[in-house]
């Protein structure tokens, strides 16, 4: 089923809202060892722990696969590879742990990347919003 897309401009980021309630955002991705950001349209998935990059994008950016892990998805377990990437979302830079996938063809932004950038999804307005960053020291 194809959804009607509505583009909404926020600063330099375009967020698209689909009829099914999915939120897409343009994200910059680069290697943590250097390189310039390249921009991709990503699905924001608050049910995903880490951001997932297709292996083809990781290779293009010089991001190497780390240790293989079995990760549970809605379609059952898949093998993903640990790594790190520099992300830019809503103009905010955040180094983030990621998984690299040989099967997926879309960038999926997970909750660890959102939280490290101080962002969350506003479900009512279907867009990202800035959150207060917290730190609690143990006594």
């Amino acid at each position: 089923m194809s959804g009607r897309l509505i583009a909404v401009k926020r600063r330099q980021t375009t967020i698209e809202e689909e009829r099914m309630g999915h939120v897409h955002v343009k994200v910059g991705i680069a290697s943590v060892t250097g390189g310039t950001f390249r921009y991709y349209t990503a699905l924001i998935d608050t049910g995903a722990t880490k951001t997932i990059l297709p292996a083809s994008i990781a290779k293009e950016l010089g991001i190497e696969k780390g240790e293989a892990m079995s990760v549970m998805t809605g379609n059952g377990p898949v093998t993903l590879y640990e790594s790190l990437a520099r992300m830019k979302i809503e103009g905010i830079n955040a180094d983030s742990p990621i998984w690299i996938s040989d099967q997926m063809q879309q960038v999926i932004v997970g909750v660890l990347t959102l939280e490290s950038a101080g962002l969350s999804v506003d479900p009512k307005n279907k867009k990202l919003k800035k959150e207060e960053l917290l730190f609690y020291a143990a006594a």
Side-chain angles (χ1 to χ4, degrees), residues 52-58 65 78-81 99-106:
I52 300 173
L53 293 186
S56 59
I57 291 176
K65 290 179 180 177
V78 296
T79 299
L80 300 174
Y81 301 88
W99 285 318
I100 297 172
S101 171
D102 290 328
Q103 292 86 26
M104 300 191 73
Q105 300 304 312
Q106 179 180 17

Side-chain angles (χ1 to χ4, degrees), residues 64-81:
E64 296 184 19
K65 290 179 180 177
E67 183 178 341
M69 302 186 71
S70 180
V71 177
M72 186 56 68
T73 72
N75 293 324
V78 296
T79 299
L80 300 174
Y81 301 88

